């Protein structure tokens, strides 16, 4: 889908050494204030080619939102170089605004007191969207996001799921080249989440819209993005394929075997160790990067095997692992070629 | 219109384009609010009448005072009414055009200012037009009525020049109050609860300007002349028009500095706004 970013001559999103430093004044004594520097984003570099969908994840306070706010022109960076479609967001915010769409899960970009339809009409005029484009885009959004019954309802009366769908439509009416989704599924039920994901996938496939997605729901990433960037303490600790994340985090896979009868823990299989025995069923763990095939062969040769299953590490535990290592300071910015990093 | 947070302006053309963009967005948002206000016509009429009545009560207080006395600080009722009308008109216009700016602090605090920064329009225009309140026509119409009445009663020879001076007073006064609204809003980038400080200068200033300067202590008059130059809204030009001496004894040409003072204050307000927006830090999430 993409070549490893950086070799792309003109990536749509080009971020080099991006920094954001906040000065906070902290109380120290009755009147004294101490100035402290907080490096919310501490030298981030990445490129996103046109048409890619990238997940951007990290724990609370890692610098995700601060990055997005600089990419959209809300915040002025303290350092580094930043170009979106060749535009410097800090210098040409309004020109950039016409070319990007932004959805915040936490707050609406619509006019709170206006019916959805009026909000869209205002968006049309403010972005000066040509009539034909507007009508086509609106019709499509209304159909795919089931907005028809909501158009006459003021935004403040919409449920969270309805509002989110309304927001996503508003962000796409002007055919943006980049769509930023900041926690778009937060607080949504399973059905709404699925609907939002499906729609984003379609927009990306049909329009080639580049998508940058931050989320706490890793299912969003698993279902939408092949590439994922992990940020912690203002630095990128991983940038590469989702599959590669498993290897990078030293995740472990689990082989569950059902034997014919109760036996002592399986022993002597290279690279694997038995962690649990429950009657005839045993659990073996081995590094995620290692192939499961020789392991299965080794077990089958020496034990009466009835059934087996393989469990992948869930992304959540992988990321927890990455965060933990990030805190102790292991090599940052590790990357694997996109889509190629899957363990056999 | 002051545009984006001090992002370097691309020369005069860039500035002009931003101003045009701002006016366009301002018009769009205002039209939308007017339409949604008029959708509930009865409610709008009641609000406007309420606004009118609340302002009119001020004037009733002055009328009551004059039922006991013949002059206030040496000023007759029509003269006080003239001060009242000119100040009320200026504040009313500024309030109508920019009155929503005192909501900026709330927007900064709850993070909704972010949303305005995502739209292809200057933030200033969006903040100013937000919740455009047509009911504020109540204050304007009440001030116009009082002003109209005072003009018929004043013993002033209404030459073209003098009529133009009154118009100029209203324009400059609106600009001065507008600059105070904007500066106050810019201050809310740092102190989100500063709306009350700004209100004390706008609504409070208006309450001051309704009365003749002669009834106040000289230090107060000096303050509103040299520190926050609200005196240029109506006091100084009105004194000239009414043929009254200036209590501070300033040279005569000072009376005509209104436009210059208004322009200076607007420039200062624009700078403060740019600086505030430039330093905007957004909220945590």
């Amino acid at each position: 889908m993409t070549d490893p970013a950086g070799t792309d001559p003109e990536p749509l999103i080009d971020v080099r050494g991006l920094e954001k430093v906040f000065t906070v004044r902290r109380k120290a004594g009755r009147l004294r204030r101490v100035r402290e520097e907080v490096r919310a984003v501490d030298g981030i570099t990445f490129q996103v080619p046109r048409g890619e969908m990238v997940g951007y994840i990290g724990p609370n306070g890692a610098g995700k939102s601060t990055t997005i706010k600089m990419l959209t022109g809300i915040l002025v960076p303290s350092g580094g170089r930043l170009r979106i479609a060749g535009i410097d967001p800090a210098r040409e915010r309004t020109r950039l605004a016409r070319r990007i769409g932004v959805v915040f899960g936490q707050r609406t970009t619509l006019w709170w007191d206006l019916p959805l339809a009026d909000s869209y009409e205002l968006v049309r005029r403010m972005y000066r969207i040509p009539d034909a484009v507007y009508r086509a885009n609106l019709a499509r959004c209304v159909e795919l996001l089931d907005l028809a019954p909501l158009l006459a309802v003021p935004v403040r009366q919409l449920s969270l799921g309805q509002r989110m769908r309304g927001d996503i439509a508003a962000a796409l009416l002007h055919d943006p080249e980049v769509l930023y989704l900041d926690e778009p599924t937060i607080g949504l039920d399973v059905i709404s989440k699925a609907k939002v994901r499906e729609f984003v996938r379609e927009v990306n496939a049909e329009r080639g819209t580049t998508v940058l997605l931050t989320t706490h729901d890793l299912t969003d990433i698993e279902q939408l993005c092949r590439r994922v960037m992990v940020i912690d303490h203002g630095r990128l600790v991983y940038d590469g394929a989702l599959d590669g994340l498993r290897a990078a985090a030293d995740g472990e896979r689990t082989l569950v075997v059902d034997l014919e009868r109760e036996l002592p823990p399986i022993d002597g299989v290279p690279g694997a160790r038995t962690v649990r025995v429950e009657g005839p069923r045993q659990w073996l763990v081995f590094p995620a990067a290692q192939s499961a095939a020789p392991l299965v062969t080794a077990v089958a040769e020496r034990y009466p095997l009835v059934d087996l299953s393989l469990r992948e590490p869930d992304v959540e535990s992988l990321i927890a692992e990455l965060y933990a290592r990030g805190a102790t300071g292991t090599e940052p910015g590790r990357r694997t070629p996109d889509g190629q990093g899957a363990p056999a | 219109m002051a545009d984006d947070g001090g992002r370097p302006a691309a020369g005069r053309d860039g500035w002009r384009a931003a101003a045009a963009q701002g006016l366009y967005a301002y018009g769009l948002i205002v039209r939308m609010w007017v339409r949604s206000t008029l959708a509930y016509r009865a409610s709008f009429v009641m609000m406007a009448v309420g606004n009118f009545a609340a302002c009119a009560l001020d004037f009733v207080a002055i009328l009551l005072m004059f039922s006991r006395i013949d002059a206030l600080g040496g000023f007759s009722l029509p003269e006080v009414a003239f001060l009242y009308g000119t100040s009320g008109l200026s504040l009313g216009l500024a309030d109508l055009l920019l009155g929503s700016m005192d909501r900026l602090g709330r927007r900064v605090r709850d993070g909704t200012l972010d949303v305005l920064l995502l739209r292809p329009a200057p933030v200033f225009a969006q903040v100013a037009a937000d919740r455009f309140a047509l009911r504020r026509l109540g204050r304007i119409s009440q001030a116009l009525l009082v002003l109209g009445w005072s003009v018929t009663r004043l013993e002033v020879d209404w030459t073209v020049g003098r009529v133009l001076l009154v118009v100029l007073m209203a324009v400059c006064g609106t600009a001065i109050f507008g600059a105070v609204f904007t500066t106050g809003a810019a201050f809310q980038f740092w102190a989100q609860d500063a709306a009350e400080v700004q209100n004390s200068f706008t609504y409070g200033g208006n309450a001051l300007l309704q009365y003749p300067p002669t009834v106040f202590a000289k230090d107060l008059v000096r303050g509103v002349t040299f520190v926050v130059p609200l005196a240029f809204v109506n006091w100084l030009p009105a004194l000239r028009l009414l043929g009254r001496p200036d209590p501070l004894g300033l040279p005569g040409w000072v009376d005509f500095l209104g436009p210059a003072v208004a322009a200076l204050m607007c420039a200062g307000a624009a700078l403060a706004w740019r600086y505030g927006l430039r330093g905007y830090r957004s909220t945590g999430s």
Side-chain angles (χ1 to χ4, degrees):
Chain A
M1 183 171 160
T2 102
D3 49 13
T7 61
D8 190 318
E10 192 140 2
L12 191 61
I13 302 177
D14 189 8
V15 178
R16 292 174 198 273
L18 187 66
E19 285 176 21
K20 183 69 190 180
V21 182
F22 292 112
T23 320
V24 281
R25 286 189 183 77
R26 201 166 48 79
K27 257 192 177 164
R30 189 168 295 193
L31 288 170
R32 233 157 53 83
R33 292 278 195 283
V34 183
R35 290 168 67 107
E36 262 179 17
E37 281 199 345
V38 177
R39 307 186 74 83
V41 173
D42 194 6
I44 281 183
T45 298
F46 65 85
Q47 283 79 36
V48 180
R50 201 172 283 272
E52 195 172 42
M53 281 209 269
V54 182
Y56 192 45
I57 55 181
N60 292 326
K64 284 187 312 257
S65 288
T66 306
T67 313
I68 297 281
K69 282 174 183 171
M70 287 191 280
L71 293 179
T72 50
I74 292 174
L75 287 177
V76 181
S78 318
R81 185 178 180 278
L82 178 55
R83 291 290 180 278
I84 313 293
I87 299 173
D88 178 355
R91 292 179 74 96
E92 295 185 273
R93 183 186 64 75
T94 52
R95 192 156 86 88
L96 178 75
R98 290 179 200 283
R99 302 179 63 173
I100 62 172
V102 186
V103 177
F104 287 123
Q106 312 267 28
R107 61 179 62 100
T108 183
T109 53
L110 299 166
W111 284 265
W112 200 241
D113 302 284
L114 286 190
L116 214 44
D118 287 11
S119 263
Y120 292 159
E121 184 61 22
L122 203 55
V123 166
R124 175 180 80 78
R125 289 164 177 270
M126 196 173 275
Y127 285 79
R128 301 180 199 251
I129 308 170
D131 258 353
V133 174
Y134 173 75
R135 270 199 301 270
N137 284 347
L138 183 61
R140 201 158 139 276
C141 288
V142 166
E143 190 202 325
L144 290 174
L145 292 168
D146 289 335
L147 294 175
L150 308 177
L151 286 174
V153 182
V155 172
R156 67 182 127 81
Q157 290 174 17
L158 296 177
S159 75
L160 186 60
Q162 294 170 335
R163 204 217 78 205
M164 189 66 66
R165 281 165 4 205
D167 256 292
I168 293 176
L172 288 168
L173 290 174
H174 60 289
D175 274 339
E177 291 161 64
V178 191
L179 179 62
Y180 299 97
L181 300 169
D182 193 2
E183 305 195 15
T185 57
I186 197 167
L188 300 191
D189 62 48
V190 181
I191 298 170
S192 301
K193 277 184 183 180
K195 203 174 264 179
V196 165
R197 287 179 196 137
E198 179 57 33
F199 183 70
V200 171
R201 197 176 308 138
E202 274 202 46
V203 167
N204 170 262
E206 282 176 21
R207 297 290 164 110
T209 308
T210 309
V211 178
L212 189 66
L213 168 75
T214 78
T215 185
H216 280 294
D217 185 346
L218 295 165
T219 321
D220 289 345
I221 308 270
E222 284 185 313
Q223 297 198 353
L224 290 175
C225 310
R226 288 205 205 162
R227 176 178 167 196
V228 59
M229 298 188 293
V230 182
I231 184 176
D232 192 31
H233 292 92
R235 292 167 184 266
L236 277 189
V237 292
Y238 179 79
D239 179 359
L242 182 59
D243 295 328
L245 184 60
R246 299 199 165 97
D250 292 336
E252 289 184 321
R253 295 199 285 172
T254 308
L255 183 70
V256 184
V257 294
D258 285 338
L259 305 177
E260 262 173 18
R261 57 185 186 281
E262 280 187 44
L263 285 169
I266 294 172
D267 194 17
V269 181
R273 62 200 155 85
T274 308
V275 290
R276 194 171 154 202
V277 179
E278 222 171 73
R281 177 171 289 187
Q282 302 204 5
W283 282 260
L284 285 82
V285 297
F286 59 101
Q290 187 184 323
S291 168
L295 196 66
V296 173
T297 316
V299 173
E301 267 173 6
R302 295 170 41 206
Y303 291 87
L305 194 59
V306 177
D307 197 5
L308 61 86
S309 64
L310 194 59
R311 291 190 192 155
E312 296 292 333
D314 59 338
V315 180
E316 240 138 314
S317 61
L318 287 178
I319 292 189
E321 171 79 14
L322 264 184
Y323 292 163
R325 288 201 317 178
T328 56
T330 344
E331 88 271 40
R334 195 171 154 184
R335 123 184 309 285
T336 58
D338 187 276
Q340 308 299 318
Chain B
M1 306 256 144
D3 184 30
D4 290 10
R7 278 97 200 215
R12 180 171 293 183
D13 285 344
W15 212 84
R16 254 187 220 155
Q21 206 178 26
L23 281 175
Y24 174 77
Y26 185 86
L28 275 183
I29 300 170
V30 164
R31 219 180 311 157
M32 170 199 87
W33 281 110
V34 168
R35 227 182 40 188
S36 89
T37 307
L38 294 182
Y40 303 94
R41 207 158 295 229
S43 149
F44 162 68
V45 169
M46 270 157 56
M47 297 280 266
V49 168
N51 191 261
F52 182 98
C55 301
L57 274 179
D58 277 357
F59 192 64
V60 170
I62 293 175
L63 286 177
L64 284 176
M65 238 182 284
F66 272 92
S67 68
R68 300 278 174 166
I69 52 177
D70 292 327
L72 186 64
F75 283 60
S76 68
L77 178 59
E79 285 173 321
V80 174
F82 183 73
L83 289 176
Y84 179 98
T86 46
S87 166
L89 179 61
S90 293
L91 177 71
L93 284 170
D95 194 29
L96 181 73
L97 295 175
L98 301 175
S100 304
M101 299 209 59
D102 61 0
R103 295 170 47 85
L104 185 86
R106 192 167 352 152
R107 282 192 168 282
V108 170
R109 206 168 346 134
D110 67 16
T112 49
L113 190 72
D114 287 2
V115 173
L116 305 189
L117 281 157
L118 295 176
R119 296 188 187 134
V123 174
F124 180 81
Q126 295 184 69
V127 174
D130 184 44
R131 295 181 173 270
F132 184 83
L134 206 54
R135 64 165 188 280
R136 289 174 176 147
L137 285 174
R139 180 192 293 278
I140 295 173
S141 49
Q142 189 262 347
L144 273 174
L145 274 178
V146 173
L147 182 62
W149 175 81
S150 77
V151 162
T152 61
R153 295 300 178 93
L154 283 175
E155 287 162 24
V156 170
D157 178 19
W158 288 108
T159 60
V160 176
R162 288 205 170 104
V163 172
L164 281 179
L165 185 61
V166 174
V167 174
L168 191 67
M169 269 170 74
V171 172
C172 293
T174 305
I176 290 172
F177 275 128
V180 176
F181 273 119
T182 306
T183 311
F187 194 58
Q188 290 179 36
F189 279 112
W190 297 282
Q192 276 101 61
D193 301 308
E196 289 312 316
V197 180
Q198 157 196 343
N199 287 345
S200 70
F201 285 117
T202 50
Y203 302 103
N206 178 50
L208 199 74
L209 297 177
Q210 290 169 0
Y211 294 94
T214 44
V215 305
F216 297 107
K218 275 212 173 131
D219 280 339
L220 185 64
V221 178
R222 270 189 206 108
V224 293
T225 307
F226 300 116
V227 185
V228 184
L230 295 176
F232 291 91
V233 170
N234 66 347
W235 275 357
L236 290 168
L239 290 174
R240 156 81 48 165
L241 207 84
L242 301 173
R244 296 276 176 170
D246 174 355
L248 295 182
L250 296 172
W253 50 266
V254 172
D255 297 352
F256 298 103
L257 281 183
V261 168
L264 264 177
M265 284 186 71
C266 287
L271 280 178
W273 176 263
R274 276 167 163 258
Y275 191 68
L277 192 56
R278 170 97 196 168
Y280 173 60
R281 302 167 52 150
S282 186
T283 49
S285 63

